[in-house]
Amino acid sequence: MSLLRRLLARRDDAPLFVAVSLVVGLALATYPAVDWYLRAIGVAPRFGFWDFGAYANAVDRWVAGESLYARNDNGGYHGSYLYPPIALLALAPFRLALDFRPAAILWTACAVLLLWIAIQRLVGALGVPLRPRERVAILPLVAGFHPVLLAVKLGQTAAGLTALLTLAASASLRGRSHLAGALTACCGVVKLPYAPAGAHLLGDRDRFAGAVVGGLALLALSVLLFGVEAHRTFLDVLAWGVETGSVARSPRIWLPPYYRPLYDVPYGLAIRVLASLAIVVGVLRASTDAVREVTALGFAAVPLLAPLTYTYYFAAALPAVVLLLAAELDRPDGRPTVPVVGLLLLHVHSYGLRTAGLLLPEWVPGLLIQPGLWGNLLLVGLAAARVAAAGGTDLGAARSLASAVGRRGD
């Protein structure tokens, strides 16, 4: 039975889930046309590949024997290459073989195609067979998800990194734990804000070992190819990023990539730390059977817990939604509508925020006008509740952390 027929077969038992799923599918599939209209009226940004320009400049400097990281006149690195040196290996072949725009187009197309393949692998690992036409139908859904399309426009790495996370989840479900760990570590090494995605590593010794070996191997290769000095400069880049990232602009100063989940919330850093510790406790106490929920929790937490996050980080929620949807459909008391609604809120975040910022009075807190925040909280909240139930623990209780640490030390 096709996926569409399986969905429609639930219309009597779960009419809301079926209706919302059809609306979300239509919204994703038709969004490229909506984006074309928004570009035509000057609202949506063009395909400028600005971030890929920074990557291309780093490749040019590398070939010329110069530093990968170019300081601005003010001493910062704004607009420069901000990734660790090893990430350049994934970008250099495109820049060295082609001129800028063809290289950027091919780079982003390959990233989206890899994500499309990865989603198919994940669906297959969940035990759902896909017909050829269903595989084709997944492509416009992936490419039409606004955070993915925005990443393409900017020439960002989000689609490629999400593909690695999705392949990691698929490998984990297929019993290839070492590979799952190595792929997850690759994301964290390339982009540190993706560290929460590694939550599932704590639940399995082989996944953790694969991450350690994979991370160390990448670091060793990076030092071997680029030298120690490049990595010292990268540490300066990180320090500059921490300093500049601590001052967040209001989400009302709208740009399509803006997402400020804890804007104007007191003790935002402390909240992130406590939430991260709660996730650690939940994962350590969760049953090994909760791998889908644990993995989804880490992936969905990436845009919520990263110190400085952007709308294109929502791309990491795609595999989280697939995992949560599968888990909820398997539960007699499952709530499959929740992850679908969460996905819709992430999809409409950018222009929903723009509309809310224009229509709502200034006294409405920036926290309340961000659709993506509520979608993010739905996904993290549902995954956290399922992980907590799998471990019989309250993720928010401080005594759980002390208890877990005590047992590990026995």
Side-chain angles (χ1 to χ4, degrees), residues 299-319:
F299 290 3
V302 168
L304 190 63
L305 299 182
L308 184 61
T309 186
Y310 294 94
T311 300
Y312 44 78
Y313 283 28
F314 288 151
L318 275 179

Side-chain angles (χ1 to χ4, degrees), residues 185-207:
C186 182
C187 289
V189 169
V190 170
K191 201 157 190 174
L192 293 179
Y194 281 74
H200 69 104
L201 303 176
L202 301 175
D204 182 89
R205 184 175 300 175
D206 289 339
R207 287 199 295 268

Side-chain angles (χ1 to χ4, degrees), residues 185-247:
C186 182
C187 289
V189 169
V190 170
K191 201 157 190 174
L192 293 179
Y194 281 74
H200 69 104
L201 303 176
L202 301 175
D204 182 89
R205 184 175 300 175
D206 289 339
R207 287 199 295 268
F208 187 81
V212 171
V213 173
L216 290 176
L218 277 179
L219 179 59
L221 180 62
S222 185
V223 173
L224 181 65
L225 292 178
F226 296 95
V228 174
E229 187 58 35
H231 293 80
R232 288 177 177 169
T233 308
F234 177 62
L235 293 178
D236 291 338
V237 172
L238 289 180
W240 169 81
V242 169
E243 180 182 353
T244 57
S246 61
V247 181

Side-chain angles (χ1 to χ4, degrees), residues 22-368:
L22 292 174
V23 168
V24 173
L26 183 63
L28 296 180
T30 59
Y31 181 72
V34 175
D35 180 78
W36 173 83
Y37 173 75
L38 292 175
R39 281 186 282 122
I41 63 175
V43 174
R46 62 185 177 86
F47 287 83
F49 307 114
W50 298 276
D51 288 9
F52 187 83
Y55 313 152
N57 290 336
V59 173
D60 294 343
R61 289 194 296 272
W62 181 38
V63 172
E66 302 172 3
S67 173
L68 303 180
Y69 307 99
R71 281 187 180 272
N72 305 137
D73 293 337
N74 62 4
Y77 294 93
H78 183 73
S80 176
Y81 176 75
L82 303 177
Y83 289 82
I86 191 66
L88 214 60
L89 296 182
L91 305 160
F94 297 91
R95 174 56 176 163
L96 295 176
L98 299 167
D99 292 333
F100 172 76
R101 193 163 183 84
I105 292 172
L106 183 59
W107 153 255
T108 52
C110 287
V112 173
L113 289 175
L114 181 61
L115 178 55
W116 172 52
I117 294 170
I119 292 290
Q120 295 176 65
R121 291 285 297 171
L122 179 57
V123 172
L126 290 166
V128 179
L130 290 172
R131 298 180 178 183
R133 63 175 177 270
E134 291 173 332
R135 296 180 183 274
V136 174
I138 290 174
L139 180 58
L141 300 181
V142 170
F145 184 44
H146 175 259
V148 172
L149 186 59
L150 179 61
V152 169
K153 288 182 171 185
L154 298 175
Q156 253 287 338
T157 59
L161 292 175
T162 301
L164 293 182
L165 291 180
T166 308
L167 290 172
S170 173
S172 181
L173 293 172
R174 296 173 188 273
R176 304 179 68 181
S177 298
H178 290 98
L179 176 60
L183 289 171
T184 306
C186 182
C187 289
V189 169
V190 170
K191 201 157 190 174
L192 293 179
Y194 281 74
H200 69 104
L201 303 176
L202 301 175
D204 182 89
R205 184 175 300 175
D206 289 339
R207 287 199 295 268
F208 187 81
V212 171
V213 173
L216 290 176
L218 277 179
L219 179 59
L221 180 62
S222 185
V223 173
L224 181 65
L225 292 178
F226 296 95
V228 174
E229 187 58 35
H231 293 80
R232 288 177 177 169
T233 308
F234 177 62
L235 293 178
D236 291 338
V237 172
L238 289 180
W240 169 81
V242 169
E243 180 182 353
T244 57
S246 61
V247 181
R249 298 173 65 184
S250 168
R252 288 182 178 274
I253 307 175
W254 181 82
L255 283 175
Y258 272 18
Y259 174 50
R260 300 292 181 260
L262 296 180
Y263 179 76
D264 261 358
V265 176
Y267 309 108
L269 179 59
I271 292 173
R272 287 187 173 95
V273 171
L274 290 175
S276 299
L277 291 175
I279 289 175
V280 169
V281 172
V283 172
L284 290 175
R285 295 180 61 112
S287 165
T288 55
D289 295 332
V291 62
R292 294 176 300 185
E293 294 86 346
V294 165
T295 306
L297 176 58
F299 290 3
V302 168
L304 190 63
L305 299 182
L308 184 61
T309 186
Y310 294 94
T311 300
Y312 44 78
Y313 283 28
F314 288 151
L318 275 179
V321 168
V322 174
L323 290 165
L324 283 175
L325 191 55
E328 292 302 302
L329 289 173
D330 283 346
R331 297 175 63 98
D333 61 341
R335 300 180 180 275
T337 306
V338 173
V340 180
V341 172
L343 182 67
L344 179 61
L345 290 171
L346 299 182
H347 177 63
V348 303
H349 168 76
S350 283
Y351 299 106
L353 172 60
R354 183 178 188 270
T355 302
L358 291 173
L359 298 180
L360 296 178
E362 288 289 337
W363 56 261
V364 177
L367 192 71
L368 300 179

